[in-house]
Amino acid sequence: MSDAGPIEKPQTDHREYCPLQLENGMRVLMISDSKCDKAAAALSVKVGSAFDPPEVPGLAHFLEHMLFLGTEKFPREDEYNEFLAKHGGSSNAYTADCVTNFYFGVSPDHLEGALERFAQFFLKPLFQESATDRELKAVDSEHSKNQQSDGWRWNQLLKNDVNPKHPMCHFGTGNSDTLKVMPERDGYPVRKRLLEFHDKYYSANQMCFVVLGKESAAELEQLVRSYFGPVVNNGVSVPAGSELGGIERPFCQEGWPRLVQVMPVKDVRSLAFQFVIPQQMPMKWRTKPTRYLSFLIGHEGKGSLLSALKTQGLATELTAGPSMDDLGACIFEVGIQLTEKGETEVKAVGEHVFTYIRLMQQLPVSEDLFTENQRIEEMNFRFRSVGHPVSTVSSLSHSLQDGLPIEKVLSGPSKVLDLDRSQIQEAGAYLTCANLRLLWASKTFTEKDCVDTERWYGTRYVAKSLPQDWHDAWEACRLGSDEQGNEGSAESAVQRAEAGGAKLGLAMPLPNPFVAENLELKVRPEAGISKKPVRLALPDCLFSLPPASSPAGQSSLIQVYFRQDDTFDLPRAYLNIEIYCPWTSQSIEQRIIVSAWCQAVAEELNELSYDAEVAGLYYGLNSGSRGLSLSLAGYQDKLPILLRTTTTKMAALQEVSEQTWGIVYTVMLRNAKIAAKTRQPYQQAAELERRCLHRTAITSAECLTVIQNLTREKVQGIGSQVLDQCYADALLQGNYTEAEVAGVLEALQPILRPSKLLQKIPGLAVAALPDGPESCALIRWAGSNPDEKNGAVTVTLQASEDSLESVIFCQLAGQVLGQRCFDELRTKQQLGYIVALQAYSDTGSGGGYCGLKAIVQSEKHPAEVHRRIDDWLANALAGLANEEENDDVKLGEYLEALLTKKREKPKKLADEFSPNWSEVISRHFRFTRRDEGIAFLEGPRQQILAAFRKFVRDCLIPAPRIAVEVLGAAASEAAANEAEPYKGACRVLDSIGDIEDFRTKLSWRESNTSITP
């Protein structure tokens, strides 16, 4: 492994990659980063849920949880995560079918300490009995969280159709039944199972380890050998791919083609054409044949399957590609979101799908299309930004398990190296009814239609053979109605396929006009480049109104900030424009109308913008409470063309066609119903709090009410009305020179032509909570999904106005208490799977306040959860202010951890652009905020900590609070002592009317609305 050639990497990747294989068989990749400001490591084990004993589903996943809870060398349960918290780090893990992956990030100076603790996971874990019992509840809570997720439910339904003798059929998450009740009933406690599983499979020869640090490769090797060399290699052999099932096939496919009708949680109408084909990856990593199929079927340009379905009013969205590719099988899925009409004409939808499949199967593989996509993939890899350390090590440790040549471990997953027509044709040939499983989800289905109940998630469904008339019609479309008895020449078969496709408006994709050609970096000024965006003055002839139409001293229509990139050396750029339009801010309905118009523009541009997206150029058009947001990102070469195309359409779209409106309204209504009725409880709590404290906030339920009464007539002519009075802020960063900025932004002229200029920007505002002893406003709400067992509680402490110093003190408090909150309320008290304590500030919302926010999602009654949060917070904050309990040495570690986080430099242009854009849309324009924060934390340590303790005593402990309790379905079964109402609130709000009344009594901090000439 160490004798391999140099690892192929992106053009600007400065990191040094050094492979190594330890004597115990562990494969290692060391990454030496001379610019390292965050160290990271990850270890993957080639074992996952597919290896669970059939009688203990979820064992691999449960073991993943247990490894975090103490080892012989470091027995304290929170030792590992507390160490990371003290040193600017974090950790996580996941269990897939065939791989379990553990990873962390930490301050570069503390990599060795983290590695020492991490390595013990794989040497001497404790699996303590008490921790085992408690963590079982965490796994059970995780499963409870997933039970109202359609993705999890449908994945398990797929496993129901798997050969029951094949390991793909397992229930991977596990719950209290599979991990406690069943093992104890069998007289085989789960702790014993954990020990056996770890001893058998957690063997060095099945592990891949990646570490990234500031050290040299030689120094990293020394650390790796010291801490991971002792991991035992027991010589276990782990089957992979088709070997996993032995002689058993993943799918028996008896009675196929199969139709599975399912009652979804969310308000969706969808079809998933799932074709079972042989496993493709990683064996075919050089050719990736399904990528060509995905490109063709999933294309959204002119002549595409999606465009044809839209034209007929049958569908709104389409995706295509492998939804799983492992364990000996690949599921190639064509997923379609239907309209109401499409739901009544599923047979016609299938006829379009199989007509396109015929076209694809009959036409020869296009070398031009393949080469164009290969060129884009090569370009994307060549100009890929350096990855974040944690995501880099995690993904690489997983990729190493695929067995690619080590020199291709970075590029191999991204690029298609070879064109193999026979492999593409072979994979495409499997797209037939004989290999089809059709999943049809609809809210119109009832329990009378879906008579079966899935065991683990309670999903109502019915599985049966595909209707014969559908089968016959679809196969006729795929084969051609005159195929039998008239073979003809290959050329005539192609011509017939093309003619059949043309009848439905189907054709192969055209050449992509947005593929970047000029990838050269622009010349940089000799005088140097400002490290922060600077305001530019554009020529008056571009964007200004005559004096008669303008306020005194103000005629410009746009304020522009710019920074030429001199850090990332990539031919990319980011451009965001915020267009402030008073008409949008006048009512909720007008805001929703503008949102519908924006989506109509996007829909009419979709065939063109899809090509841009394929070529690595993206745009977005959205609306908010103050107006419109237009964003573009990607290769700068064709960015002005996409911008001009977008603004021309915005200016021209005054009448929305029935076809466009049908698609837009279907998507808006569906998304609004999903948001209003099936959001996670903690998300609902956050929305309600925001509705109370942010002047322009609205709830998903209010949004749904407006959309349900929206008509096409209300959207007609809105474009000119919205833009009749406007002003814009813009930020451009990337591979442009200052001299080119005006030429790029000239494309905004079609939409920046108001009849009169704004005198001030539509404002934002955040409310101050009423002060006073033990003040707490409480929003008490029923969960929107009656089938969701979990409820949620958020408790927010509004400590201070959001000055730089106050925000940093809140962040420091969150740094100290975040892991402690998780350890106490989740690990020890087991309140639920989602538990967090974090600092917050309203700075990005135009200014307001800052403080701490506790979040718990739980099946327990919200009142009881609320009391426990209060009890923990009281003790935690008191301890934080106590110098004996948290002296300067202890707090100093956390301060250093926070400083480490703030010193982390952006890894890509988007990371630099995002905080700068936040400064623009918040209208603070304080681009030095990060540097000021670092300078503050680098001040006299003793003085800072003394001021911090005073802030805790004077601001955090007595802070006014707002709490939200969302009641879940399981809470009705809570014990009487749990259900006793929370008594610490000064005001209880349980309706929008209550919230509105409460808001009238609050004082508000206004955002900056001034326009500077």
Side-chain angles (χ1 to χ4, degrees):
M1 189 172 182
S2 58
D3 296 331
I7 291 177
E8 184 180 12
K9 62 183 184 178
Q11 178 175 293
T12 59
D13 191 343
H14 63 277
R15 293 165 173 165
E16 180 186 0
Y17 298 83
C18 301
L20 172 71
Q21 182 155 337
L22 299 180
E23 287 74 10
N24 61 9
M26 185 183 296
R27 286 163 290 164
V28 177
L29 183 62
M30 299 164 296
I31 307 174
S32 177
D33 186 349
S34 59
K35 301 178 182 178
C36 179
D37 51 20
K38 170 77 80 175
L43 188 145
S44 66
V45 189
K46 196 174 184 179
V47 64
S49 299
F51 294 82
D52 289 341
E55 63 275 16
V56 194
L59 185 66
H61 176 229
F62 186 39
L63 189 146
E64 170 224 303
H65 276 242
M66 288 301 301
L67 289 186
F68 286 83
L69 300 179
T71 60
E72 285 188 11
K73 189 170 184 179
F74 301 100
R76 206 177 78 237
E77 287 182 13
D78 65 341
E79 166 67 32
Y80 171 66
N81 281 323
E82 184 70 8
F83 179 88
L84 294 177
K86 288 179 178 178
H87 302 297
S90 61
S91 69
N92 213 331
Y94 64 84
T95 303
D97 285 330
C98 296
V99 172
T100 305
N101 191 291
F102 303 84
Y103 51 92
F104 71 82
V106 73
S107 161
D109 292 336
H110 296 280
L111 174 61
E112 181 171 3
L115 289 176
E116 182 181 15
R117 289 159 176 79
F118 186 54
Q120 295 302 311
F121 285 22
F122 315 103
L123 288 165
K124 296 288 184 180
L126 284 178
F127 299 128
Q128 296 181 88
E129 198 75 55
S130 60
T132 301
D133 290 340
R134 275 188 279 104
E135 199 61 22
L136 273 169
K137 296 178 182 177
V139 173
D140 207 43
S141 293
E142 183 175 358
H143 175 57
S144 175
K145 172 186 71 71
N146 297 336
Q147 281 185 305
Q148 291 298 298
S149 165
D150 284 324
W152 284 94
R153 294 159 75 93
W154 298 350
N155 183 57
Q156 193 62 45
L157 278 180
L158 174 66
K159 294 183 176 185
N160 282 9
D161 280 337
V162 168
N163 177 353
K165 297 179 181 179
H166 193 280
M168 190 191 292
C169 72
H170 290 182
F171 166 47
T173 306
N175 63 12
S176 57
D177 284 341
T178 69
L179 297 171
K180 183 173 177 62
V181 176
M182 291 162 57
E184 289 181 354
R185 181 192 62 203
D186 297 339
Y188 209 154
V190 74
R191 183 174 182 274
K192 185 177 180 181
R193 292 281 197 179
L194 289 169
L195 291 166
E196 291 175 348
F197 194 92
H198 190 275
D199 288 345
K200 179 178 180 179
Y201 290 116
Y202 275 57
S203 175
N205 67 317
Q206 299 301 332
M207 295 178 178
C208 293
F209 179 60
V210 180
V211 59
L212 183 154
K214 65 180 182 179
E215 294 82 0
S216 67
E219 291 168 328
L220 288 173
E221 180 176 345
Q222 187 175 354
L223 290 173
V224 170
R225 290 187 181 279
S226 174
Y227 294 112
F228 292 86
V231 176
V232 173
N233 177 0
N234 64 21
V236 66
S237 177
V238 175
S242 58
E243 299 171 355
L244 268 164
I247 62 172
E248 300 293 339
R249 295 167 53 199
F251 293 90
C252 297
Q253 296 180 233
E254 295 177 2
W256 285 39
R258 191 165 178 79
L259 171 63
V260 180
Q261 295 172 238
V262 58
M263 294 173 60
V265 173
K266 294 182 178 179
D267 197 324
V268 296
R269 306 181 195 94
S270 66
L271 291 175
F273 292 80
Q274 299 173 327
F275 298 95
V276 178
I277 71 177
Q279 183 173 338
Q280 303 290 299
M281 296 294 289
M283 300 83 74
K284 299 176 182 178
W285 67 272
R286 293 188 64 89
T287 54
K288 301 180 180 67
T290 57
R291 193 170 289 187
Y292 181 83
L293 305 181
S294 302
F295 170 73
L296 292 183
I297 301 176
H299 205 274
E300 297 182 17
K302 187 175 181 179
S304 67
L305 175 57
L306 177 60
S307 286
L309 290 169
K310 284 181 174 180
T311 299
Q312 296 300 317
L314 299 173
T316 60
E317 299 167 39
L318 183 148
T319 58
S323 59
M324 68 85 64
D325 193 1
D326 208 345
L327 300 164
C330 172
I331 304 294
F332 188 92
E333 181 172 311
V334 181
I336 301 173
Q337 298 296 324
L338 302 172
T339 61
E340 286 187 14
K341 179 184 178 183
E343 192 171 39
T344 65
E345 299 184 27
V346 171
K347 181 180 174 183
V349 173
E351 288 171 344
H352 281 72
V353 171
F354 280 94
T355 300
Y356 196 90
I357 287 174
R358 180 193 183 202
L359 186 64
M360 186 180 65
Q361 290 175 341
Q362 292 293 334
L363 266 64
V365 173
S366 169
E367 186 168 355
D368 288 344
L369 286 176
F370 177 88
T371 302
E372 181 180 86
N373 282 298
Q374 188 180 46
R375 175 185 165 196
I376 292 171
E377 289 164 351
E378 172 63 39
M379 185 169 63
N380 290 342
F381 178 77
R382 177 187 171 192
F383 297 113
R384 191 165 77 187
S385 301
V386 173
H388 188 278
V390 176
S391 59
T392 295
V393 297
S394 177
S395 63
L396 284 174
S397 68
H398 194 137
S399 295
L400 283 171
Q401 296 286 4
D402 290 337
L404 275 61
I406 190 63
E407 61 270 20
K408 299 293 185 182
V409 71
L410 287 175
S411 61
S414 302
K415 300 196 292 187
V416 178
L417 300 180
D418 304 320
L419 169 60
D420 190 320
R421 291 182 173 85
S422 63
Q423 287 188 1
I424 293 173
Q425 291 165 344
E426 180 185 348
Y430 280 93
L431 307 188
T432 69
C433 279
N435 301 309
L436 174 64
R437 176 184 185 269
L438 181 66
L439 180 71
W440 182 7
S442 173
K443 273 292 189 182
T444 63
F445 294 149
T446 67
E447 292 185 356
K448 291 183 179 179
D449 302 309
C450 300
V451 295
D452 297 318
T453 303
E454 193 277 319
R455 176 181 180 183
W456 303 112
Y457 290 85
T459 309
R460 295 293 298 223
Y461 75 101
V462 64
K464 54 191 176 183
S465 295
L466 191 74
Q468 190 62 45
D469 62 325
W470 294 9
H471 177 276
D472 294 343
W474 295 354
E475 278 296 278
C477 289
R478 187 182 69 84
L479 296 172
S481 58
D482 61 342
E483 191 74 17
Q484 293 182 348
N486 183 21
E487 295 182 7
S489 67
E491 182 179 357
S492 64
V494 170
Q495 290 172 342
R496 291 198 304 273
E498 288 180 321
K503 290 179 182 178
L504 296 179
L506 300 171
M508 291 291 105
L510 299 171
N512 192 330
F514 285 100
V515 179
E517 298 172 89
N518 182 359
L519 299 170
E520 298 298 317
L521 296 182
K522 301 300 174 71
V523 176
R524 293 164 185 167
E526 294 182 3
I529 295 172
S530 168
K531 292 300 179 184
K532 306 299 176 188
V534 295
R535 185 177 178 184
L536 298 185
L538 298 181
D540 290 340
C541 60
L542 280 183
F543 303 108
S544 61
L545 288 176
S549 305
S550 309
Q554 171 64 28
S555 61
S556 177
L557 298 171
I558 187 169
Q559 177 177 229
V560 177
Y561 287 87
F562 169 72
R563 188 177 114 74
Q564 182 178 351
D565 174 53
D566 62 349
T567 303
F568 305 101
D569 296 331
L570 296 173
R572 301 180 188 273
Y574 281 76
L575 171 63
N576 279 12
I577 306 107
E578 190 78 4
I579 305 173
Y580 304 105
C581 313
W583 194 88
T584 306
S585 64
Q586 290 171 8
S587 71
I588 295 176
E589 183 183 44
Q590 289 177 204
R591 190 192 312 185
I592 301 299
I593 288 171
V594 175
S595 176
W597 176 77
C598 288
Q599 293 181 55
V601 172
E603 176 56 34
E604 298 221 345
L605 285 172
N606 189 65
E607 288 187 350
L608 195 67
S609 64
Y610 181 80
D611 274 336
E613 184 177 329
V614 169
L617 187 56
Y618 307 89
Y619 94 103
L621 176 63
N622 299 290
S623 68
S625 64
R626 296 186 292 176
L628 309 175
S629 298
L630 178 59
S631 59
L632 295 95
Y635 296 106
Q636 96 291 327
D637 182 34
K638 303 292 178 72
L639 187 148
I641 298 174
L642 182 58
L643 177 60
R644 172 65 72 171
T645 303
T646 304
T647 58
T648 300
K649 174 60 70 175
M650 291 171 66
L653 187 64
Q654 299 302 322
E655 297 295 318
V656 178
S657 70
E658 287 189 17
Q659 178 183 322
T660 296
W661 176 249
I663 294 169
V664 166
Y665 187 73
T666 296
V667 173
M668 285 187 74
L669 185 60
R670 182 186 71 223
N671 291 343
K673 287 181 177 179
I674 290 171
K677 298 178 181 179
T678 57
R679 302 183 91 179
Q680 287 274 344
Y682 78 92
Q683 294 172 325
Q684 189 181 354
E687 181 182 81
L688 288 164
E689 180 191 306
R690 188 170 180 83
R691 178 65 174 83
C692 196
L693 297 183
H694 290 251
R695 180 180 288 161
T696 61
I698 56 176
T699 66
S700 300
E702 290 173 298
C703 183
L704 174 60
T705 299
V706 173
I707 290 175
Q708 287 172 327
N709 294 298
L710 199 59
T711 63
R712 183 166 72 102
E713 289 68 30
K714 292 181 179 180
V715 182
Q716 306 295 31
I718 287 301
S720 57
Q721 192 167 356
V722 169
L723 296 168
D724 185 59
Q725 186 179 24
C726 63
Y727 180 82
D729 283 331
L731 174 64
L732 174 61
Q733 287 189 223
N735 189 37
Y736 286 113
T737 65
E738 184 174 324
E740 293 175 309
V741 175
V744 173
L745 296 182
E746 184 181 7
L748 293 173
Q749 283 186 323
I751 57 173
L752 290 185
R753 292 178 174 176
S755 63
K756 52 186 176 180
L757 199 65
L758 290 185
Q759 297 188 33
K760 66 176 184 177
I761 302 298
L764 300 173
V766 181
L769 287 169
D771 211 344
E774 300 182 1
S775 63
C776 177
L778 172 60
I779 303 173
R780 190 177 287 153
W781 222 262
S784 57
N785 180 0
D787 297 321
E788 173 60 71
K789 293 180 180 179
N790 289 282
V793 177
T794 60
V795 178
T796 299
L797 283 63
Q798 193 182 80
S800 167
E801 292 189 356
D802 59 340
S803 68
L804 181 75
E805 180 179 311
S806 295
V807 169
I808 288 176
F809 283 155
C810 290
Q811 292 170 343
L812 180 54
Q815 186 72 34
V816 177
L817 299 180
Q819 171 56 30
R820 298 180 186 180
C821 175
F822 185 88
D823 180 58
E824 177 60 33
L825 298 184
R826 183 185 184 276
T827 305
K828 292 187 172 66
Q829 296 192 32
Q830 286 296 324
L831 291 187
Y833 183 71
I834 297 175
V835 174
L837 179 87
Q838 56 199 30
Y840 82 92
S841 81
D842 298 318
T843 306
S845 300
Y849 302 90
C850 60
L852 293 177
K853 188 185 301 290
I855 303 166
V856 176
Q857 183 161 294
S858 175
E859 290 189 19
K860 290 184 175 295
H861 197 283
E864 174 64 15
V865 174
H866 193 169
R867 284 188 283 270
R868 295 205 201 181
I869 292 173
D870 273 3
D871 290 345
W872 179 82
L873 270 174
N875 292 327
L877 291 173
L880 201 56
N882 187 325
E883 194 165 355
E884 292 183 4
E885 188 173 334
N886 286 283
D887 60 24
D888 283 6
V889 175
K890 289 182 180 179
L891 284 184
E893 289 181 310
Y894 291 100
L895 188 151
E896 196 64 36
L898 180 60
L899 186 54
T900 296
K901 287 183 177 180
K902 289 189 174 294
R903 284 173 175 159
E904 286 181 40
K905 294 180 179 178
K907 302 298 183 291
K908 51 190 175 182
L909 181 58
D911 296 340
E912 181 183 291
F913 181 85
S914 182
N916 287 337
W917 179 240
S918 292
E919 293 297 328
V920 174
I921 57 171
S922 66
R923 311 210 83 244
H924 294 302
F925 307 109
R926 193 173 178 176
F927 301 114
T928 58
R929 190 181 301 275
R930 172 179 171 270
D931 296 338
E932 291 176 57
I934 292 172
F936 175 79
L937 287 171
E938 288 176 337
R941 181 65 51 88
Q942 189 174 8
Q943 183 178 326
I944 293 173
L945 294 179
F948 169 68
R949 289 192 184 90
K950 186 176 187 302
F951 180 83
V952 173
R953 288 191 299 268
D954 296 349
C955 299
L956 276 173
I957 291 176
R961 304 182 179 197
I962 183 168
V964 184
E965 295 179 2
V966 174
L967 188 69
S972 61
E973 304 170 7
N977 64 318
E978 280 193 14
E980 181 183 348
Y982 178 83
K983 296 178 180 178
C986 64
R987 177 78 185 269
V988 177
L989 315 173
D990 55 16
S991 69
I992 290 294
D994 285 349
I995 289 176
E996 288 288 3
D997 180 67
F998 182 68
R999 280 163 54 109
T1000 63
K1001 299 175 175 61
L1002 302 178
S1003 59
W1004 299 80
R1005 284 194 74 195
E1006 306 283 345
S1007 65
N1008 172 23
T1009 61
S1010 64
I1011 296 176
T1012 306

